[in-house]
């Protein structure tokens, strides 16, 4: 931890709020005091915290209450708890709520960077959640805070994204179903893990919320950010991982020869999907020459995604080759591949492709 670096720490709802809807203040204290240690050493930290919706549920008896209402009611309590604990730990925090357009639209993105720079200049720790009160269930939402935290980590060129969860890390099977399940301490091929997870459960749940974490890990490691999943219920885990000790699961970053441009970072931070397109060697050669991706080179469509989402291009061994914004949904590509007129069909424009291999 010698160089001055930026860390994004993401805390999950079940980590910060217990099943009775009570805030786990000891967890917040442990997190804030570990962050203070980093900040005191001039590292920069952005904290992303969930928990608003879960807290809101305690306040509203109507089981059909909207996510927006729950978030709106819970957020003020969530931040109140952080503020109270931050004052005890002598940490200075500031809060704002994000939504996808603030990252995806260039002018908002630049403004966001300015806001965060201003907070760092004043030695404040930004504490962020999604603005679910206004964007829940809309296209403006990241949908989950693992994706939001990944976008923030990419946008701010973080060194590490540390996901503080209520589970120990990634297991080779669901630990709730299989007693023999083993923790995987280190992952180099996130894509393979993601495909396994997606084939078990296509909903957003995955292996106890693992699906969205793997999606986040896939995209951050592709741009050279190290990912971690640790158990926040175990006091001291965050401090340990910050000191480079082996805790939970580490997702090793890809080594890149070239620096990623700000535009490409911005492109990747937009809408991260779990989907991928498996392509043939001809398509890979064309990508290496800086060409666009045509339907004729696609062998298989994996997962579900919408048009304009970011998906990965993989080779026939499922190794990642590039990321890019796809112009069609998985269903549309399936029907393009079933048709006769494949040759001219452009699926991803070269301007929207970032090669990683
Ligand atoms: N933003 C949501 C909340 O504060 C959490 C989203 C998530 O669990 O990823 O409750």
């Amino acid at each position: 931890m010698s160089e001055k670096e930026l860390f994004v720490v993401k805390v999950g709802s079940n980590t910060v709020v217990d099943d009775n809807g009570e805030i786990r203040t000891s967890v917040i204290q442990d997190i804030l005091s570990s962050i203070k240690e980093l900040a005191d050493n001039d590292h920069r930290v952005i904290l992303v915290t969930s928990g608003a919706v879960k807290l809101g549920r305690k306040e509203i008896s109507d089981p059909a209450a909207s996510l927006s209402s729950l978030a709106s009611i819970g957020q003020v309590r969530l931040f109140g708890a952080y503020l109270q604990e931050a004052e005890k730990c002598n940490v200075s925090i500031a809060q704002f709520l994000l939504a996808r357009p603030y990252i995806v639209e260039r002018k908002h993105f630049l403004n966001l960077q300015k806001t965060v720079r201003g907070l760092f200049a004043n030695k404040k720790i930004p504490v962020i959640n999604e603005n679910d009160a206004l964007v829940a269930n809309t296209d403006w939402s990241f949908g989950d805070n693992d994706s939001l935290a990944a976008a923030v980590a990419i946008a701010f060129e973080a060194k590490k994204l540390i996901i503080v969860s209520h589970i120990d890390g990634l297991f080779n099977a669901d630990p709730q179903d299989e007693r023999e399940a083993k923790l995987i301490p280190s992952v180099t091929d996130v894509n393979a893990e993601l495909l396994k997870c997606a084939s078990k459960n296509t909903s957003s749940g995955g292996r106890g919320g693992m699906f969205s974490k793997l999606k986040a890990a896939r995209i951050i490691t592709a741009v050279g950010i190290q990912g971690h999943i640790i158990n926040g219920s175990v006091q001291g885990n965050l401090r340990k991982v910050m000191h480079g000790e082996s805790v939970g699961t580490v997702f090793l970053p890809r080594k890149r020869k070239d620096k990623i441009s700000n535009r490409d970072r911005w492109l990747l931070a937009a809408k991260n999907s779990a989907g991928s397109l498996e392509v043939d060697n001809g398509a890979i050669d064309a990508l290496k020459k800086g060409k666009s991706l045509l339907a004729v080179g696609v062998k298989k469509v994996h997962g579900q995604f919408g048009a304009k989402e970011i998906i990965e291009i993989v080779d026939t061994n499922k190794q990642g080759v590039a990321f890019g914004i796809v112009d069609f949904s998985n269903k549309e590509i399936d029907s393009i591949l079933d048709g006769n007129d494949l040759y001219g069909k452009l699926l991803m424009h070269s301007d929207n492709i970032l090669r990683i291999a």
Side-chain angles (χ1 to χ4, degrees), residues 18 167 176 238 255 339:
D18 70 19
I167 44 170
Q176 279 177 351
L238 182 57
K255 292 201 172 50

Side-chain angles (χ1 to χ4, degrees), residues 279-289 297:
V279 301
D280 62 20
N281 288 341
I284 292 174
D285 288 343
L287 292 177
K288 284 189 179 146
K289 290 182 189 139

Side-chain angles (χ1 to χ4, degrees), residues 153-213:
I154 293 170
F156 289 94
E157 297 189 46
K159 175 79 180 167
K160 288 183 183 175
L161 167 62
I162 304 167
I163 296 181
V164 183
S165 180
H166 62 297
I167 44 170
D168 288 334
L170 176 68
F171 285 81
N172 63 355
D174 187 336
Q176 279 177 351
D177 299 340
E178 290 183 40
R179 282 183 40 214
E180 297 299 300
K182 287 207 168 55
L183 181 81
I184 305 173
S186 164
V187 176
T188 39
D189 185 0
V190 190
N191 207 35
E193 297 297 337
L194 186 63
L195 286 172
K196 268 189 243 160
C197 193
S199 65
K200 284 213 184 96
N201 188 344
T202 47
S203 81
S204 62
R207 279 189 259 168
M210 201 40 83
F211 193 57
S212 62
K213 291 175 182 48

Side-chain angles (χ1 to χ4, degrees), residues 94-96 114-126:
Q95 177 204 24
F96 62 86
K114 207 165 116 192
T115 303
V116 171
R117 271 201 301 270
L119 293 174
F120 285 148
N122 285 293
K123 301 224 171 289
K124 304 282 176 206
I125 309 286

Side-chain angles (χ1 to χ4, degrees), residues 90-108:
N90 207 10
V91 179
S92 194
I93 60 172
Q95 177 204 24
F96 62 86
L97 301 176
L98 259 188
R100 237 164 49 78
Y102 295 113
I103 297 240
V104 176
E105 280 162 35
R106 187 90 183 138
K107 65 173 194 253
H108 292 316

Side-chain angles (χ1 to χ4, degrees), residues 10 12-13 49-55 71 75 78 129-132 143-148 212:
K10 182 256 164 182
S13 300
T49 182
S50 305
V53 171
K54 198 165 174 190
L55 279 176
Q75 181 61 35
L78 180 66
N129 194 358
E130 177 139 72
N131 195 345
D132 299 295
D144 63 78
N145 274 359
D146 296 316
S147 303
L148 183 150
S212 62

